[in-house]
């Protein structure tokens, strides 16, 4: 006679086994300890969460601002650099032709000194501008310097024109 | 009964200690019985059972009443016991051995009628740990292979092999005891 032993266990009702006397107290202790531990962990998580939120807000804010600054700065810088480049190229070009055309050492020296002074001043303001990019006085001073150079360039051009005319006249 | 348990569970989720102790009182002896099947040392079994309860309290919010609370809790307790066994370095069958295994076609669980349930349980307890574990999970707890694989973290193939070998050993041991003389 056979029997499927799997069926023997199918109708299994939850059997019980008597526990040692002090098991309840022991469990209560473990339960309280685990709650305290969890509470500590939750508090730790809370602090960590608050910290990380503050940190990320700070990070985002500084990032946004620095991006904004970068954007305006680069736009301003590009503009300034372009102006500077054009001016300097023109000055250099005209300066070279001016030297070729004139043999007036005093005149050359005078403009050389002026341009040198202006260049020094420009470098100084530039370094200030690098430190404090939002200072309007510095930016104005930079523009002012370039304006003066432009003025000087115009003076040179006038001189050159005059000289050219004289040169033409003499050759004719 | 189940309504009472549902109320208790809701209170436990809120963290009410009294409800947690009530739930413990309701199930501790049954769960201790289960734990003792896996851990011979009764002190160890008691600790594993209590740890299992603590874990269950943490997981209570994910309990869905698709299965009875007792069955849900039992799985956690068994898992806890297996964790303890694993810490004691439970032997597992290596993959190479599986290929050497002669496929045993015996899928029947037909045993001599005279064999008592108690005798089967006692004999299973005498088997090597790895076979004992899978046999207990399959035969006594009624889990299927995928559930056993999930609980023991063993591949299904391995747990099938353990079960097959375990059953063979069980038959042999029972035969030795003259219950399975005809086999």
């Amino acid at each position: 006679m056979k029997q499927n032993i799997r069926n023997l266990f199918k109708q299994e009702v939850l059997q019980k086994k008597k526990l040692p006397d002090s098991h309840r107290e022991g469990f209560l202790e473990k339960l309280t300890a685990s709650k305290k531990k969890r509470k500590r962990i939750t508090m730790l998580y809370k602090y960590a969460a608050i910290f990380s939120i503050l940190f990320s807000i700070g990070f985002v804010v500084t990032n946004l601002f620095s991006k904004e600054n970068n954007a305006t700065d680069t736009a301003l810088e590009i503009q300034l650099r372009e102006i500077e480049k054009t001016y300097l190229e023109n000055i250099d070009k005209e300066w070279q032709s001016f030297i070729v055309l004139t043999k007036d050492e005093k005149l050359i020296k005078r403009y050389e000194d002026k341009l040198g002074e202006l260049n020094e001043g420009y470098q100084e303001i530039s370094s200030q501008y690098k430190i404090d990019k939002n200072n309007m006085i510095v930016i104005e001073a930079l523009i002012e310097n370039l304006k003066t150079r432009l003025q000087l360039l115009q003076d040179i051009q006038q001189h050159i024109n005059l000289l050219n005319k004289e040169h033409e006249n003499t050759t004719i | 009964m189940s309504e009472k348990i549902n109320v208790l569970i809701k209170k436990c989720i809120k963290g009410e200690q009294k409800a947690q102790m009530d739930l413990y009182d309701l199930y501790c002896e049954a769960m201790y019985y289960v734990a003792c099947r896996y851990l011979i040392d009764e002190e160890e079994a008691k600790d594993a059972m209590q740890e299992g309860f603590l874990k269950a309290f943490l997981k209570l919010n994910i309990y869905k009443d698709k299965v009875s609370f007792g069955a849900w809790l039992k799985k956690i307790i068994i898992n806890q016991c297996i964790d303890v066994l694993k810490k004691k370095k439970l032997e597992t069958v290596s993959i190479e051995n599986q290929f050497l295994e002669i496929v045993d076609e015996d899928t029947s669980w037909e045993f001599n009628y005279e064999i008592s349930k108690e005798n089967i349980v006692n004999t299973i307890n005498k088997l090597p740990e790895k076979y004992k574990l899978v046999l207990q999970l399959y035969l006594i707890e009624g889990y299927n292979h995928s559930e056993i694989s999930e609980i023991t973290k063993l591949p299904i193939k391995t747990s099938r092999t353990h079960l097959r070998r375990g059953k063979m050993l069980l038959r042999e041991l029972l035969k030795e005891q003259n219950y399975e003389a005809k086999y």
Side-chain angles (χ1 to χ4, degrees):
Chain A
M1 199 62 177
K2 297 279 169 202
Q3 62 166 342
N4 187 331
I5 57 165
R6 289 190 75 193
N7 295 334
L8 272 181
F9 295 95
K10 269 186 184 158
Q11 305 88 26
E12 167 132 337
V13 266
L14 282 178
Q15 278 176 282
K16 293 179 178 182
K17 187 171 171 145
K18 209 173 161 4
L19 275 146
D21 287 341
S22 59
H23 77 100
R24 262 190 121 254
E25 290 74 28
F27 183 67
L28 194 63
E29 238 170 65
K30 283 183 191 173
L31 188 64
T32 331
S34 88
K35 272 183 186 165
K36 271 185 193 165
K37 198 177 160 194
R38 241 184 312 143
K39 212 176 175 182
R40 271 206 301 274
I41 292 168
T42 348
M43 286 302 279
L44 208 68
Y45 273 124
K46 270 184 191 166
Y47 284 130
I50 291 169
F51 177 75
S52 54
I53 287 168
L54 287 178
F55 182 76
S56 24
I57 289 172
F59 183 75
V60 167
V61 167
T62 34
N63 223 18
L64 270 180
F65 271 98
S66 62
K67 263 188 191 164
E68 224 167 63
N69 283 347
N70 279 347
T72 49
D73 280 348
T74 34
L76 196 67
E77 268 170 359
I78 289 165
Q79 268 184 323
L80 273 175
R81 241 180 276 132
E82 272 172 20
I83 296 164
E84 190 185 34
K85 202 184 159 197
T86 335
Y87 275 143
L88 293 178
E89 270 175 13
N90 281 331
I91 290 166
D92 192 55
K93 209 167 91 187
E94 298 302 339
W95 179 249
Q96 292 306 323
S97 51
F98 168 72
I99 292 170
V100 172
L101 283 171
T102 183
K103 286 191 171 59
D104 191 340
E105 295 284 335
K106 273 186 190 170
L107 194 69
I108 296 171
K109 184 86 176 90
R110 211 174 76 206
Y111 282 116
E112 212 175 37
D113 286 349
K114 265 194 185 176
L115 279 173
E117 270 171 38
L118 280 164
N119 197 37
E120 270 173 33
Y122 191 79
Q123 297 305 329
E124 208 174 292
I125 311 163
S126 282
S127 58
Q128 274 181 36
Y129 166 73
K130 272 173 196 160
I131 297 162
D132 188 2
K133 294 194 174 185
N134 288 323
N135 195 333
M136 280 314 285
I137 300 165
V138 179
I139 295 166
E140 272 170 19
L142 275 174
I143 295 165
E144 197 55 46
N145 184 291
L146 287 169
K147 267 186 190 170
T148 325
R149 284 210 237 187
L150 177 68
Q151 194 58 51
L152 196 70
L153 176 71
Q154 280 167 350
D155 287 352
I156 295 169
Q157 273 175 336
Q158 268 180 3
H159 258 282
I160 289 164
N161 283 340
L162 273 173
L163 284 168
N164 278 351
K165 271 177 194 165
E166 273 173 30
H167 190 71
E168 273 169 32
N169 286 341
T170 45
T171 42
I172 290 162
Chain B
M1 180 69 177
S2 79
E3 192 51 40
K4 184 190 167 194
I5 289 164
N6 281 340
V7 173
L8 272 182
I9 290 171
K10 276 175 193 157
K11 284 182 178 173
C12 287
I13 292 171
K14 283 183 194 163
E16 283 181 31
Q17 192 159 296
K18 198 192 165 294
Q20 288 174 331
M21 284 312 286
D22 287 349
L23 207 60
Y24 173 80
D25 288 338
L26 271 174
Y27 286 95
C28 67
E29 288 189 334
M31 293 304 136
Y32 180 53
Y33 181 81
V34 171
C36 285
R37 273 208 288 257
Y38 296 87
L39 302 166
I40 301 155
D41 186 310
E42 290 191 346
E43 185 65 21
E44 241 176 22
K46 186 204 79 187
D47 285 343
M49 180 270 291
Q50 293 186 334
E51 285 300 318
F53 264 96
L54 295 179
K55 277 191 185 162
F57 288 153
L58 290 176
K59 289 180 181 174
L60 263 183
N61 52 340
I62 59 162
Y63 164 68
K64 294 191 179 71
D65 45 14
K66 267 192 214 163
V67 288
S68 76
F69 180 71
W72 184 78
L73 187 62
K74 189 172 92 171
K75 211 167 188 174
I76 296 175
I77 304 290
I78 292 174
N79 266 316
Q80 188 62 37
C81 293
I82 287 168
D83 281 349
V84 175
L85 286 175
K86 274 187 182 161
K87 272 179 199 156
K88 292 167 134 189
K89 289 186 183 145
L90 168 76
E91 272 183 274
T92 51
V93 164
S94 67
I95 295 160
E96 291 91 329
N97 284 349
Q98 284 181 28
F99 294 105
L100 297 171
E101 175 81 6
I102 300 155
V103 180
D104 179 71
E105 293 297 335
D106 178 17
T107 50
S108 118
W109 286 89
E110 301 287 325
F111 280 66
N112 197 308
Y113 196 73
E114 288 159 32
I115 301 167
S116 71
K117 195 170 156 181
E118 199 193 351
N119 197 242
I120 293 168
V121 173
N122 287 340
T123 315
I124 287 175
N125 280 335
K126 287 176 193 160
L127 294 175
E129 196 63 62
K130 57 190 172 188
Y131 304 132
K132 177 187 157 190
L133 181 64
V134 181
L135 267 176
Q136 278 178 325
L137 293 171
Y138 186 79
L139 199 63
I140 303 175
E141 316 296 353
Y143 292 131
N144 60 33
H145 280 295
S146 66
E147 282 173 313
I148 295 172
S149 159
E150 188 195 317
I151 295 168
T152 57
K153 309 274 184 307
L154 288 172
I156 291 183
K157 235 180 155 181
T158 313
S159 81
R160 276 185 194 277
T161 312
H162 285 193
L163 186 69
R164 209 162 46 225
R165 287 182 176 179
K167 190 169 70 178
M168 269 163 59
L169 283 172
L170 181 68
R171 271 198 205 285
E172 276 168 28
L173 278 177
L174 287 169
K175 218 196 284 182
E176 278 172 24
Q177 291 167 27
N178 290 326
Y179 283 109
E180 285 273 297
K182 289 174 192 172
Y183 271 75

